[in-house]
Amino acid sequence: MLPVHRSASKARSLRVPLHRTILHSRRRYTTPPKTYFQPLDQPPPPPPRTSLQILRWSLFGVTAFGIGFYMHAYLSARFGLDALEELAGEMDPEDAMAMQAALQDGVEVAQALVVHPLTWEQATAVLRRRAGVAVTPTVVSHVCQSPSNLPCEDMWSSGTYMYLKDSAKDWSEWAIFDGHAGTRTSQALKELLPVVVGEKLWESGCMQRIYIANDQRVLRVIQNAFKYLDEEVLGEAKRCLEDDEDGLRPAEKVSLLSNMLSGSCALLALFDPTKGVLRVANTGDSRAVLGTWEDGKYVARPMSDDHTGFNPKEVERLAAAHPGEDVIDPKTGRIFGLAVTRAFGDSRWKWSQELTTKAHELFWGPAPRPNNVVRTAPYLTAEPEVQEVRVQTGAHADFLIMASDGLWDHMSNDDAVACVQLWLEHNKPLDLVRRLKTDMEELKNGPSNTTEKAGTASGGVKSRLPFSFSSHSSPPSDGLEPPSMPDSTPDADPDTYYDPDQRALKWRVSPKHFVVEDDNAGVHLIKNAFGGSRRRLFESVMTIQPPLSRDVRDDVTVHVIFFGVDAKAEAKEMEGGRG
């Protein structure tokens, strides 16, 4: 039996970190559930909340979306968003989460409907609105997300397993779930995968084991947890599809199938602070890179391999599993059209052609792959590869960069590490935490300072919204003429080019264009991946909206995790603030 921990919430209703810059943005894992999926032949469990609470939660979500879409600019100018955040602080955490997430979604929908030309300051504000920070006694992590899809198909997680009941010993996790063909699989992974992995590690005694380098028992538990979750969700969907007499309404079957008809990569980092051991499990093409100090600078050490058709090990594995079949297109690296060779969900690559056809013809699932290429499914696995390292601390402590492939489309491992090193030359990981603490104290002390900061030169109140809903801004007088992009520095090389294969203007990322303008390292990385000092490029990349934006930039989610930080006081204060 698992121990009871300091949080009263259960694992199925974990607090998800908010996507705004909030100091206390960290999950605390409690006793996991005994089962993750309700058997189909049993009635659903009674709802944990009363109908009044559910109605209130729904109304908050719907109302907040409406506010975000129609009234965000007015509220920002009239009261400032701090008033809404202060209100959220008095609400039930799930209600507050629904309100803030819906506000964010409403603003993004509005920007997508009427594409406003963002200035550099406004584009930076958009990035900062989806940024956050998390703190443990020895680790500080910064996160930032930049959506391209609407809704964003990337999900992320950050949390601490509290089974050991000691913040100095509790394991931590950070994860990125890069979804494709929809958000359902990545959303399910965000809620379930960290919980499942934590439970399996605890039940097997791995969190208490004496350290053995590359302990195969620990690695197998992590790998099996990934496979177990994928098989459970796949199996549940498959059973409901095969059983025509299960009594489920078609709508219920559509709902159960939704998690498997889309797909997702999963990148999960686990840190044991007592032993200083970092383990990274990867399924798909998100990537983790360790920045470690050697010979007077930080160098990049890959902590994951991309699972695509351009990885020779993956090509060999699939050729051995499916002899005589041309599984991977050598030109595109795709497996029957899919860009990754390992993933959660993606039932069309794991089920028989007949089963996929049934889902398509009866429940509006996507069509089977053409030309009957699926003959010996499954072609995909959710099994991760796991790497581990003992992190270095001290004057030049290690840091880990985790990111969905949207970042690596533009930035190499070496350049990403160099970019964070440049940030560290001007910032410390705890600076952001202390600045946020100051901002929160100013907010509690009264609106006078906030109003003064937001005021214009004439004393009026300026909207905090990074764009106006009232009308289009005037077009820039100097215009943009691709494939050459004007730069904020007249004699700088814009490093842009037209890519005929992707039929879009592209740009090269190099340290010569890096700037340090943000105290969140995640914001810093994404800004430099999207142009850095080339401000007009950065403004344009951030301005373009879906669906065209997918030809320019993918969803991007970044964790930057700094080890060896003395954050005991900050972690204790945050722990005490939870009550």
Side-chain angles (χ1 to χ4, degrees), residues 15-244:
R15 300 296 184 246
V16 181
L18 302 178
H19 284 166
R20 285 190 55 79
T21 304
I22 293 179
L23 189 61
H24 310 301
S25 61
R26 198 154 180 80
R27 283 178 170 181
R28 302 198 305 163
Y29 292 102
T30 62
T31 305
K34 294 182 180 178
T35 60
Y36 303 103
F37 305 99
Q38 183 68 27
L40 289 177
D41 56 352
Q42 296 183 14
R49 313 180 86 190
T50 67
S51 58
L52 179 60
Q53 287 176 311
I54 294 173
L55 176 61
R56 184 184 66 181
W57 184 88
S58 301
L59 287 175
F60 268 124
V62 173
T63 303
F65 183 87
I67 292 173
F69 187 71
Y70 295 108
M71 296 295 291
H72 195 295
Y74 171 76
L75 289 170
S76 298
R78 185 75 173 88
F79 304 109
L81 284 180
D82 292 334
L84 294 177
E85 291 180 355
E86 189 172 11
L87 171 63
E90 303 299 323
M91 295 164 57
D92 176 89
E94 289 189 24
D95 294 339
M97 182 180 69
M99 185 184 78
Q100 291 193 327
L103 277 169
Q104 178 69 41
D105 292 343
V107 171
E108 288 169 0
V109 169
Q111 169 69 350
L113 286 176
V114 182
V115 179
H116 299 265
L118 301 180
T119 66
W120 166 83
E121 293 84 0
Q122 293 164 344
T124 299
V126 169
L127 281 182
R128 290 175 178 171
R129 199 170 55 223
R130 277 188 175 263
V133 61
V135 179
T136 77
T138 59
V139 181
V140 175
S141 61
H142 297 183
V143 64
C144 185
Q145 185 175 78
S146 175
S148 180
N149 293 293
L150 192 63
C152 182
E153 293 179 338
D154 279 10
M155 302 292 167
W156 61 269
S157 175
S158 170
T160 298
Y161 300 105
M162 305 187 70
Y163 303 143
L164 298 173
K165 299 183 178 181
D166 184 342
S167 60
K169 299 178 181 180
D170 291 330
W171 287 33
S172 294
E173 66 84 19
W174 301 267
I176 293 174
F177 309 107
D178 181 357
H180 46 263
T183 62
R184 276 78 59 187
T185 308
S186 56
Q187 174 69 31
L189 290 178
K190 179 183 75 170
E191 296 297 335
L192 291 174
L193 186 61
V195 180
V196 172
V197 172
E199 176 189 320
K200 300 301 183 183
L201 287 168
W202 178 257
E203 287 180 341
S204 61
C206 290
M207 289 187 179
Q208 307 95 315
R209 281 173 65 84
I210 296 173
Y211 176 68
I212 302 172
N214 294 304
D215 189 334
Q216 291 304 303
R217 179 177 175 182
V218 176
L219 302 187
R220 281 197 300 270
V221 167
I222 296 170
Q223 290 172 326
N224 289 338
F226 274 55
K227 292 192 295 182
Y228 164 79
L229 181 59
D230 191 53
E231 289 165 1
E232 282 288 299
V233 181
L234 271 171
E236 201 71 16
K238 186 177 180 181
R239 284 189 290 273
C240 92
L241 192 58
E242 292 176 329
D243 188 354
D244 297 326

Side-chain angles (χ1 to χ4, degrees), residues 278-280 288-290 301-305 387-389 400:
L278 172 69
R279 297 179 177 90
V280 176
V289 178
L290 188 73
R301 170 180 171 172
M303 290 296 296
S304 65
D305 292 324
Q387 297 190 32
E388 78 167 44
V389 67
L400 183 72

Side-chain angles (χ1 to χ4, degrees), residues 267-283:
L267 180 66
L268 174 70
L270 299 162
F271 181 61
D272 177 353
T274 305
K275 305 174 184 69
V277 177
L278 172 69
R279 297 179 177 90
V280 176
N282 180 55
T283 294

